[in-house]
Amino acid sequence: MKLSYKLAASIGAALLLTACSGNGDSSSSTSTESASSTSVNPEGQVVHYTAPTELATMDTTLITDNNSANYLGHVIEGLLRIDEEGDPVPAIAAEEGVISEDGLTYTYKLREDAVWSNGDPVTAHDFVYGIQKLVNPDTGASYSYLAETIINANEIMSGEKDANELGVTADGDYEITFNLTQPTPYFEFLLSFTAFFPQNQAFVEEQGEQYGSSSDAIIANGPFVLENWDGTGLTWDLVKNEDYYAADDVALDTINVQVIKETSTAVNLFEGGQVDNAHLTGEMVKQYTGDENVVVQKKARTAYLEFNWDNEYLKNAKLREALGLVINANDLVNTVLGDGSTEIGGFLPADFVTNPATGTDFAEEAGTFLSYDIQRAQELWEEAKTELGVDTLTLSLVGDDDEKNKKISQYVQGQVQNNLPGITLDLRNVPKKNRLALADSRDFDILQTGWGADFADAINFMDLLYSGSSYNEGGYTNTDFDALIDLAKTTNANDDEKRWNDLQQAHKVLTDDFAFIPLYQEAETQLRNPAVKGIILHPVGVEFDLSRASVED
């Protein structure tokens, strides 16, 4: 299947280079002064980076949010990593893998100079242990389903077999083999994804339930070591790992990270030379239009509203459709956000994957199923009230508590309450870790959520609403949808065109059900210090890579 995300990666890199090349006006002079003071720092090359939200965990098997994955990707490396072109290439693997002709066996030799930050060698056993832990039902890993095509994975996840029967084996310390039940076109992308990263068994077992919960409870095999994170705080440091096998290629000595949820605060710190980046939203984006320090990164990420299907009222399709029809996507992306995010018509982002026969983008082929229509929404709400036997209704909307997500929540609340009289939408904006917990426990009526692609295949999105998926937080169930997903994974797994049709039909089932409300395709606009060179941007998986970045005067 043709992967059009490579173009997005190239555009992102070009934007970054353009933003970094200018001499700058008054605002960029401030940033350059910051860069100069940073680059001559007696402690070496230091970047002061801002994050939009806190870390949830550093356990490779338990991470579910992009922000945590972005920083874990700087601390731990897998067999493969995603390069600047968007391709999986060797990392801990010493060379490209050997893939059998039938696509069922993948074998990799590991480099022998990779070590953990406690001095232990990184071996094939670390990968076997980490992936066995991923599929072990006792772990409760939300991403365990990604391993479903490895031999015995499904039986292990259902409790029928032991984790040590998984089709992943170590041949000595430096060779590993994966045996699959069926061809998996995106398998090498999985091997570059955080859930498939290695874990040092002795260290993990020593830490027990605390593993990954603080910087003291995690060790590194990647370019940086995590320090000064207490598990809940809003600051942490990435410090160069001198034992990293490619340490000579890592220029930065320290990345000081602080969570800043208010745009104005981040911008003021950037202008004052105290941080090297600042996320922009709304009016701030307009204010900085044309500024040479602006970098825009389009992401393969969909923001959407998810329903709790245990709520008897939300089982009414007319109510769900009415709620979707009052969202003015144009207003949302241009007035409320204004950060480069774009309208989206369905579940999958644009410029992500294309039809193997025609080259048509999945999102374009699927079309738009909800358009802003207040009159139709009000008609449907009147019909829904009659069917439900109610005149008023109160629903909760759960979302993150950063500035951007609070604005979105408030916008949705206003659109619903102003246009569908009788519906009250109670907002619950909480820290991301709490929002993830509320989602897991299904403690919401409507969930303001999103999904960023982990690998470049449509199944990565469609799997989210499969009835057995751990990410199906609202409990959506449709047997026709499940059957089409099963076909795409099994009978038609090796037939690109039939598989594509399965996934398109499955998408239509979702839209016919009004199973979700699409909000926007995310893009991120930042002010970026032009002195920080060489940041690699990825629209898929780990979103940015500072491991080869540097600070120049």
Side-chain angles (χ1 to χ4, degrees), residues 381 385 391-394 416-417 420-424:
W381 170 225
K385 286 195 291 185
D391 289 318
T392 61
L393 187 60
T394 298
V416 170
Q417 294 184 169
L420 300 176
I423 299 182
T424 299

Side-chain angles (χ1 to χ4, degrees), residues 16-66:
L16 176 60
L17 291 172
T18 300
C20 291
S21 64
N23 294 324
D25 53 16
S26 59
S27 61
S28 61
S29 296
T30 303
S31 180
T32 304
E33 290 168 10
S34 166
S36 298
S37 62
T38 300
S39 61
V40 298
N41 191 313
E43 296 179 357
Q45 291 252 320
V46 179
V47 167
H48 300 279
Y49 216 69
T50 67
T53 188
E54 51 272 280
L55 298 177
T57 179
M58 285 285 104
D59 185 332
T60 62
T61 61
L62 297 181
I63 279 182
T64 59
D65 67 295
N66 283 84

Side-chain angles (χ1 to χ4, degrees), residues 462-485:
M462 304 303 286
D463 250 341
L464 299 176
L465 293 178
Y466 187 79
S467 61
S469 170
S470 54
Y471 285 99
N472 184 1
E473 286 135 337
Y476 172 74
T477 301
N478 184 300
T479 54
D480 292 337
F481 176 80
D482 284 357
L484 287 163
I485 298 302

Side-chain angles (χ1 to χ4, degrees), residues 118 120 200-208 211-212 215-219:
N118 67 351
D120 292 347
N200 181 302
Q201 183 173 359
F203 182 83
V204 172
E205 291 179 350
E206 177 186 342
Q207 296 298 319
Y211 175 70
S215 53
D216 291 334
I218 185 80
I219 54 174

Side-chain angles (χ1 to χ4, degrees), residues 295-422:
V295 179
V296 179
Q297 181 185 2
K298 188 174 182 180
K299 301 182 180 183
R301 181 174 178 82
T302 301
Y304 61 97
L305 300 180
E306 185 172 3
F307 299 112
N308 184 344
W309 293 78
D310 291 339
N311 184 304
E312 292 298 321
Y313 300 111
L314 289 172
K315 289 180 180 178
N316 185 283
K318 292 177 179 177
L319 172 59
R320 298 195 303 275
E321 184 179 0
L323 291 168
L325 289 173
V326 299
I327 305 299
N328 186 334
N330 183 276
D331 254 5
L332 177 60
V333 299
N334 292 312
T335 304
V336 179
L337 297 178
D339 60 358
S341 296
T342 54
E343 296 181 43
I344 190 167
F347 205 42
L348 269 69
D351 302 321
F352 177 47
V353 288
T354 55
N355 187 314
T358 67
T360 305
D361 186 78
F362 190 103
E364 180 184 347
E365 189 172 314
T368 298
F369 81 105
L370 278 172
S371 298
Y372 181 55
D373 190 336
I374 295 299
Q375 182 177 341
R376 178 58 180 155
Q378 291 174 343
E379 292 170 357
L380 287 166
W381 170 225
E382 290 300 318
E383 294 173 19
K385 286 195 291 185
T386 300
E387 293 176 5
L388 294 169
V390 299
D391 289 318
T392 61
L393 187 60
T394 298
L395 300 169
S396 66
L397 173 62
V398 170
D400 291 348
D401 70 342
D402 60 280
E403 182 178 353
K404 177 178 177 178
N405 278 289
K406 285 196 288 188
K407 282 184 177 180
I408 296 167
S409 297
Q410 291 161 5
Y411 171 78
V412 172
Q413 181 190 52
Q415 289 298 105
V416 170
Q417 294 184 169
N418 292 336
N419 296 300
L420 300 176

